[in-house]
Amino acid sequence: MEFNEITLSKEELPKNYYNFMADLDKPMPIPKGDMSILGKVFGKSVLEQEMSQERFIPIPQEVREIYSLLGRPTPVYRARRLEKKLNTPAKIYFKREDVSVVGSHKTNTAIAQAYYCKKDGFTHLTTETGAGYWGSALAVASTLFDLKCKVFMVSSSYEQKPYKKYLMKLFGAEVISSPSNKTKYGKKILAENPNHIGSLGIAISEAMELAMQDEKTAYCLGSVLNHVMIHQSVIGQEAIIQMQKADDFPDSIIACVGGGSNFSGIAFPFMQKKFKDKEINFTAVEPKESASITKGKYEYDYGDSSGLTPLMKMYTLGKDFIPELIFAQGLRYHAMAPSLSHFVKQGKINAKAYAQKEVFLAAKIFSETQGLVPAPESAHAIKEAIEQAIECKKTGESKTILFNLSGHGLMDLPGYAEVLNFK
Ligand SMILES: Cc1ncc(COP(=O)(O)O)c(C=O)c1O
């Protein structure tokens, strides 16, 4: 019998976060503009991590326990049936961040952020959500740390994905369709267009505005910033041990990118100095409909639409860009993490973009061969993995490909039905 699953024991759950900033060849461009906003909306602990140069940051025991409760460490699978279907000499592995009930990698940072905010004396958390994965992750983290949570959900997603809304409510969160009439910025947008489809940039502005008004409310961000990338490093650290157990090592690492956190999670630990002699090809995959790296500019821009955040140097389509409506709502963001952008600019990470239909068709091949349902976001990584495996078939190379399955798509079946025309 061939084994397809590489598991880790609870003891192998990482004890530290890995901080990519300790291994930078070239410093990242520093943010500009009004930095005082950060101190108003974020807790002290996450801000310290945002600037930290420490290579390893201990993961608090309570956080490790909740990681374990929600299914960490997560398995790595070898996609042998997909390999067979593609008739490729490539070996395809994927890291399963889809296994928790919330269904994505977002709990890795949600639990950490809720823990640190509680420790810093906050009683309420506020945030944005696109696809609803991040909102559900922060909702479950909030209830487990006895915090109140308010989530601004992009209005088109609020309509498209009602089950995500119910999941957040089940965990005790308040869910508000964004743009909303709860904030000055939301009211301004609604006055211009009462049927606005919303965007992550707008929802971030609304959540930050709320946090600025109350010192007991912290704002939490689900991607983009350095501390989020640090928390997500549990993915790659586990995958390193799992690839060792498989007696293999990736030639290629692939993940989808919205703000960049699941990509950083799987990729940055493999970019540590200790692996500098390994030649790994890193590919970040974005939607053609919101292609910040492949179509945007590398320049200073705001992380939100109203211009509340400091200016960060990153790949961006501009803060006012409203991405086309696609089911991968978690990838509908105008910009890309400054850290990931920095590596792209240095030529260490490549980017690819695919359109919705081809992405869903790739997801269908994966579902039919592996018996799993990927999130529309994760399906972008699957599409690229399939493309690379097909290329291996042409060249005869037996490459080892590792991709991140960032989430499950069980609550996105209406999206599958629409794009793939199920009757
Ligand atoms: C399942 C899933 N994958 C990927 C993403 C994209 O975000 P990031 O680039 O921060 O991983 C999201 C965002 O909501 C998501 O929910």
Side-chain angles (χ1 to χ4, degrees), residues 16-230:
N16 295 291
Y17 293 119
Y18 164 68
N19 181 0
F20 66 95
M21 281 184 283
D23 283 329
L24 290 179
D25 290 340
K26 202 176 151 201
M28 278 166 57
I30 47 169
K32 289 184 187 168
D34 182 11
M35 306 296 281
S36 67
I37 178 87
L38 299 180
K40 287 184 197 146
V41 300
F42 287 113
K44 168 174 134 296
S45 306
V46 295
L47 277 183
E48 272 167 22
Q49 289 183 357
E50 190 61 28
M51 320 288 178
S52 169
Q53 300 292 322
E54 290 298 315
R55 181 168 284 106
F56 292 107
I57 297 170
I59 306 178
Q61 191 52 25
E62 214 177 326
V63 172
R64 289 183 81 235
E65 278 165 20
I66 296 181
Y67 280 164
S68 160
L69 180 76
L70 299 185
R72 293 216 82 80
T74 61
V76 161
Y77 272 27
R78 171 100 181 258
R80 289 186 200 269
R81 297 176 62 92
L82 178 63
E83 291 168 16
K84 235 174 243 159
K85 167 90 179 175
L86 301 173
N87 191 17
T88 174
K91 287 180 271 175
I92 307 174
Y93 295 86
F94 58 100
K95 177 74 169 155
R96 292 202 54 187
E97 290 301 304
D98 62 311
V99 289
S100 75
V101 73
V102 170
S104 88
H105 64 295
K106 295 283 180 182
T107 42
N108 298 333
T109 184
I111 294 158
Q113 291 192 47
Y115 169 87
Y116 291 118
C117 287
K118 175 93 180 182
K119 185 171 145 249
D120 290 342
F122 293 100
T123 53
H124 290 67
L125 304 181
T126 174
T127 196
E128 72 293 332
T129 196
Y133 291 97
W134 164 240
S136 331
L138 198 69
V140 75
S142 299
T143 186
L144 293 173
F145 284 105
D146 203 16
L147 293 159
K148 295 266 177 265
C149 181
K150 256 186 206 169
V151 183
F152 287 87
M153 186 171 190
V154 173
S155 67
S156 46
S157 194
Y158 190 88
E159 300 305 326
Q160 237 181 21
K161 301 172 193 272
Y163 293 115
K164 296 278 178 59
K165 195 164 63 189
Y166 305 149
L167 188 59
M168 288 184 258
K169 289 186 179 209
L170 186 65
F171 291 132
E174 186 184 337
V175 189
I176 304 150
S177 173
S178 165
S180 77
N181 56 17
K182 303 261 178 196
T183 65
K184 264 199 217 147
Y185 188 62
K187 279 182 196 156
K188 178 176 168 281
I189 300 276
L190 285 177
E192 288 161 10
N193 178 1
N195 300 316
H196 202 292
I197 59 170
S199 74
L200 275 168
I202 295 171
I204 294 172
S205 297
E206 291 208 272
M208 285 181 80
E209 191 182 316
L210 217 66
M212 280 164 70
Q213 291 161 6
D214 175 19
E215 58 174 28
K216 286 285 177 195
T217 299
Y219 167 67
C220 297
L221 184 61
S223 190
V224 181
L225 294 180
N226 298 340
H227 65 271
V228 181
M229 311 294 144
I230 291 171

Side-chain angles (χ1 to χ4, degrees), residues 104-106 131 133 222-223 256-262 330-331 375 377-378 406-407:
S104 88
H105 64 295
K106 295 283 180 182
Y133 291 97
S223 190
C256 68
V257 284
S261 75
N262 87 92
L331 308 187
E377 289 80 3
S378 323
S406 58

